[in-house]
């Protein structure tokens, strides 16, 4: 038998090489490459799990069978992100920064699903049983019918789950699990891949749903190999700023529902509270109209959300002006500044530009281009937009304004919160109605001339 060749794997990005190096050629990180032995079958009787699956002919499957029923809990925001509820035999991966509230969210979810009639097992590899019970008491969940286990050995966990056969198993976290047939440390690429594969296989084989918690890197991406995200059915990110009480559960992959759906929570002393109207919450602290403040009507998944863009433009004492962005794409900000200078003739040279999305929200859709341009021009010209005005639209490199989707939903949400005027691109299917007056623009030059009287 040929001898297995050792390989060296970067613990940051998962790049595989045949020799050790101090610096990873793929991601540039230092001291992150470790030697790992390749996965093998192992000795007889050492394979994880029970029995292998059997082949099933496609013709034997009944087309009349109904899809597996979803189980909804009382956490409506979580049900929304999952696509309507928890699907049997599904594997869900939840990632987020340390201390953001992942364990709190999943403990509340475990209690909610248990109260909905599911048999739930919560497995913690990071905390002792007494610590988990202490959190449950703080959240007033001590009487929830949830079975608790603290273990990191994957073989023991799978044996217990095979015996219990729960409807839902929560594993916190996947980085602490270790398989004894893989010769590497817990948290390494091989261990994370093996643990995720075995837990996902268990979910598909038994019909139990499995929720796994994953750590994130300093870049905000899920730690471990990218293949883990391909194994599971749903990938959720739990986001939020430490200085804000808002927490956002965002779906980036979902085989059973819409992707890019969000659920909004508020961190309180008694745990995470649902926010049924996030637009009102994000705009609650908005005061009188001020230069650089613009309200954007956006869409997150299937939900319209109104958020406030805040811009500050100030003379720069340095030869290289600063461009600082929080909650939006920095590359897209550079594009908007270039279009304003090239197509409209408004320079930002020698000016520091700061852009922030209020409330700790992150916006990624191109429909925010016009709102960002309006905030920048408002801050530069020291001219505030009217308080009851919302702005949305995409800006092309030619300076033209392009219509965006779901215009009606954006306008309905704006009207619900008392906004009376909307500035948007022309050419789209928009009907403002009696409560919202529409101001449609064809290009950025016309927008600047109409709103700020120049350009």
């Amino acid at each position: 038998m040929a001898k297995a060749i050792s390989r060296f794997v970067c613990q940051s990005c998962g790049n595989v090489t045949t020799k050790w190096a101090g610096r990873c050629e793929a991601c540039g990180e230092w001291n992150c490459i470790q030697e790992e032995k390749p996965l093998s079958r192992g000795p007889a009787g050492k394979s994880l799990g029970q029995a292998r699956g059997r082949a099933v002919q496609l013709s034997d499957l009944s087309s009349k069978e109904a899809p597996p029923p979803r189980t909804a809990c009382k956490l409506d925001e979580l049900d929304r992100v999952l696509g309507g509820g928890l699907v049997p035999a599904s594997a869900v991966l939840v990632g987020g920064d340390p201390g953001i509230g992942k364990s709190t969210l999943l403990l509340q979810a475990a209690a909610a699903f248990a109260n909905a009639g599911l048999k739930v097992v919560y497995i913690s590899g990071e905390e002792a049983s007494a610590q988990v019970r202490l959190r449950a008491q703080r959240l007033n969940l001590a009487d929830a019918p949830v079975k608790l286990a603290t273990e990191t050995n994957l073989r023991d966990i799978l044996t217990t789950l095979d015996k219990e056969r729960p409807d839902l198993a929560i594993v916190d976290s996947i980085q602490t699990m270790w398989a004894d047939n893989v010769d590497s440390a817990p948290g390494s690429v091989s261990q994370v891949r093996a643990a995720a594969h075995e837990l996902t296989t268990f979910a598909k084989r038994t019909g139990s749903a499995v929720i796994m918690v994953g750590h994130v890197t300093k870049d905000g991406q899920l730690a471990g190999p990218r293949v883990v995200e391909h194994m599971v059915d749903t990938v959720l990110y739990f986001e939020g700023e430490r200085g804000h009480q808002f927490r956002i559960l965002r779906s980036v992959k979902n085989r059973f529902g819409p992707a890019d759906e969000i659920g909004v929570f508020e961190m309180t002393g008694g745990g995470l509270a649902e926010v049924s109207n996030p637009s009102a919450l994000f705009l609650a602290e908005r005061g009188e109209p001020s230069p650089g403040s613009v309200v954007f009507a956006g869409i997150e998944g299937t939900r319209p959300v109104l958020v406030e863009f805040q811009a500050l433009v100030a003379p720069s004492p340095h030869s290289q002006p600063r461009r600082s962005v929080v909650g939006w794409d920095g590359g897209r900000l550079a594009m908007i500044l270039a279009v304003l200078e090239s197509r409209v003739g408004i320079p930002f040279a020698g000016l520091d530009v700061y852009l922030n999305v209020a409330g700790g929200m992150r916006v990624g859709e191109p429909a925010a281009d016009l709102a960002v341009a309006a905030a920048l021009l408002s801050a530069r010209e020291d001219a505030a937009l009217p308080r009851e005005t919302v702005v949305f639209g995409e800006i092309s490199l030619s300076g033209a304004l392009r219509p965006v989707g779901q215009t009606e939903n954006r306008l309905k949400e704006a009207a619900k919160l008392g906004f009376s005027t909307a500035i948007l691109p022309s050419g789209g299917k928009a009907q403002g109605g009696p409560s919202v007056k529409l101001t449609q623009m064809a290009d950025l030059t016309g927008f600047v001339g109409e709103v700020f009287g120049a350009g």
Side-chain angles (χ1 to χ4, degrees), residues 3 12 86 94 143 167 175 200 204 220 232 234 240 250 255 276 296 308 321 326 335 337 344 350 401 437 443:
K3 183 179 180 181
S12 296
L86 188 67
V94 181
D143 297 331
D167 299 310
Q175 271 79 16
T200 304
K204 304 301 180 184
V232 298
T234 305
R250 186 184 303 273
R255 289 175 178 157
S276 58
F296 163 64
E308 180 185 4
V326 177
M335 186 199 76
L337 292 174
V344 190
L401 300 183
K437 177 184 176 182
D443 53 29

Side-chain angles (χ1 to χ4, degrees), residues 12 65 119 148 184 250 286 298 328 364 379 399 421 432 453:
S12 296
E65 293 182 359
K119 183 178 181 181
L148 176 64
S184 59
R250 186 184 303 273
R286 184 169 179 255
W328 205 53
T421 305

Side-chain angles (χ1 to χ4, degrees), residues 179-229:
D180 52 18
N181 67 332
V182 179
D183 295 331
S184 59
S188 63
V189 172
S190 296
Q191 287 284 4
V192 172
R193 179 172 53 239
H197 172 70
E198 293 294 339
L199 290 171
T200 304
T201 303
F202 168 81
K204 304 301 180 184
R205 176 170 56 86
T206 63
S208 302
V210 176
I211 299 179
M212 298 171 278
V213 178
H215 296 167
V216 297
T217 63
K218 62 182 181 181
D219 298 328
Q221 301 296 322
L222 280 166
R226 197 74 177 182
V227 69
V228 173
E229 298 186 36

Side-chain angles (χ1 to χ4, degrees), residues 61-143:
L61 300 178
S62 174
S63 60
K64 298 181 180 180
E65 293 182 359
R70 298 175 184 267
T71 302
C73 62
K74 294 183 179 180
L75 296 175
D76 295 334
E77 296 296 304
L78 178 60
D79 291 335
R80 172 192 292 271
V81 176
L82 290 175
L86 188 67
V87 177
S90 62
V92 181
L93 181 62
V94 181
D97 294 330
I100 204 67
K102 300 186 299 295
S103 299
T104 300
L105 173 65
L106 292 182
L107 188 57
Q108 291 183 233
F113 281 115
N115 292 329
L118 297 186
K119 183 178 181 181
V120 181
V121 174
Y122 186 96
I123 301 172
S124 176
E126 300 180 343
E127 298 176 287
S129 300
Q131 294 173 318
V132 179
R133 291 194 187 98
L134 185 63
R135 179 188 289 114
Q137 292 176 357
R138 179 172 58 85
L139 300 176
N140 297 321
L141 302 175
D143 297 331

